[in-house]
Amino acid sequence: MEIQVDRVTVEFPRAGEEPASLKEWLVGLGRPGRRKSRFRALDQVSFSVERGEVLGIVGANGSGKSTLLKVISGALVPTAGRVAVCRDKVRLLTLGTGFDPELTGRENVYLNGALTGYTREELDRRFPDIVAFSELEGFLEEKVRNYSAGMVSRLAFAIATAREAPGILILDEVLSVGDLFFRQKSEARIRQLIHGGSTVLLVSHSPGVIRQNCTRALWLDRGRLRLSGDPDTVCAAYEGGRDQ
């Protein structure tokens, strides 16, 4: 078993409940009877992932998809429940994470690469391949703040997948941005990683992406696991649920 998620619950204080200033905090001390409400982003979610599986996670905005990925990668500690996974094997790719908009594309390759575990020597060696895959040869000296969302996605994907196949690759909506040709390239690169033995978790709003790339799928709905099974069945249920 590569990943085991056991009754994971994640709660956050609702927006506006936390004091915005020292004055508000002091005033709140005089109201002991006031109970803070909390938002449950994930509610008793359990599932497992076998080595080499490509698991798609689908759901509407606010369903808990990104929260779940952060818990699995170790970026977020659950309120309750547990996750069993070797986090040294996990590589998480979310759009624009680890990029400084005031740095150039070239500088961000080294910054983002360092944050995702590359050494300087690895980045020097793989830099030409990263640039070639991202197709941003003419934009490396531009600041990333001037990049489109698609350009950021291309550079992030190229950095994350330049290394040999990771044990576990987590992709958060990275295939939904960019032109058709680059999406096809990205999907081909993912297939290479899969054949290299990687376990892949792929989050997408697009049922089509899940159907084309995944061996199994989960549907998250308002923090709860609604359905798990083959991608066609899960995506059909998700599409039907959205129409209700």
Side-chain angles (χ1 to χ4, degrees), residues 4-243:
Q4 182 73 50
V5 177
D6 183 22
R7 294 171 291 180
V8 164
T9 294
V10 176
E11 294 182 343
F12 300 107
R14 287 193 179 275
E17 293 289 339
E18 293 298 300
S21 66
L22 178 60
K23 179 181 177 181
E24 286 188 13
W25 181 76
L26 290 171
V27 170
L29 290 178
R31 301 174 182 171
R34 182 181 178 186
R35 185 176 180 181
K36 294 180 180 179
S37 61
R38 297 178 69 81
F39 167 69
R40 183 163 287 190
L42 292 174
D43 189 359
Q44 295 279 313
V45 173
S46 296
F47 63 92
S48 59
V49 185
E50 300 286 348
R51 181 172 300 174
E53 265 197 294
V54 186
L55 178 68
I57 303 174
V58 69
N61 287 330
S63 61
K65 302 187 303 297
S66 293
T67 300
L68 177 60
L69 297 189
K70 290 175 182 176
V71 171
I72 293 172
S73 68
L76 188 64
V77 177
T79 307
R82 61 185 292 273
V83 174
V85 62
C86 178
R87 293 201 168 96
D88 290 340
K89 298 167 64 175
V90 174
R91 197 179 307 167
L92 171 63
L93 174 56
T94 61
L95 182 60
T97 299
F99 279 76
D100 186 333
E102 295 304 317
L103 297 180
T104 66
R106 180 184 300 275
E107 292 167 332
N108 269 290
V109 168
Y110 285 88
L111 171 64
N112 186 266
L115 291 174
T116 53
Y118 288 88
T119 65
R120 176 75 188 216
E121 292 72 23
E122 282 181 305
L123 288 167
D124 286 340
R125 187 171 67 254
R126 299 183 187 279
F127 187 83
D129 292 334
I130 291 170
V131 175
F133 190 87
S134 68
E135 302 173 359
L136 296 175
E137 291 90 343
F139 301 92
L140 290 178
E141 310 311 324
E142 289 282 340
K143 291 187 175 181
V144 165
R145 70 182 181 191
N146 297 323
Y147 283 18
S148 67
M151 292 167 72
V152 173
S153 178
R154 285 156 65 168
L155 189 58
F157 189 90
I159 295 168
T161 60
R163 190 186 276 172
E164 288 82 5
I168 302 170
L169 180 63
I170 301 179
L171 304 171
D172 190 359
E173 289 290 358
V174 297
L175 295 182
S176 61
V177 180
D179 57 46
L180 176 61
F181 178 69
F182 189 78
R183 288 201 298 272
Q184 291 173 341
K185 278 182 63 175
S186 300
E187 291 173 10
R189 174 66 66 87
I190 289 175
R191 286 192 289 272
Q192 290 176 359
L193 294 172
I194 294 166
H195 293 316
S198 292
T199 301
V200 180
L201 272 63
L202 173 61
V203 161
S204 179
H205 284 104
S206 169
V209 169
I210 300 296
R211 286 186 172 105
Q212 292 167 18
N213 296 284
C214 300
T215 55
R216 189 162 63 92
L218 306 178
W219 172 19
L220 284 180
D221 182 28
R222 288 170 285 189
R224 290 179 175 270
L225 178 59
R226 284 281 297 272
L227 188 63
S228 172
D230 72 88
D232 284 335
T233 300
V234 172
C235 288
Y238 168 61
E239 290 167 325
R242 286 188 303 173
D243 295 336

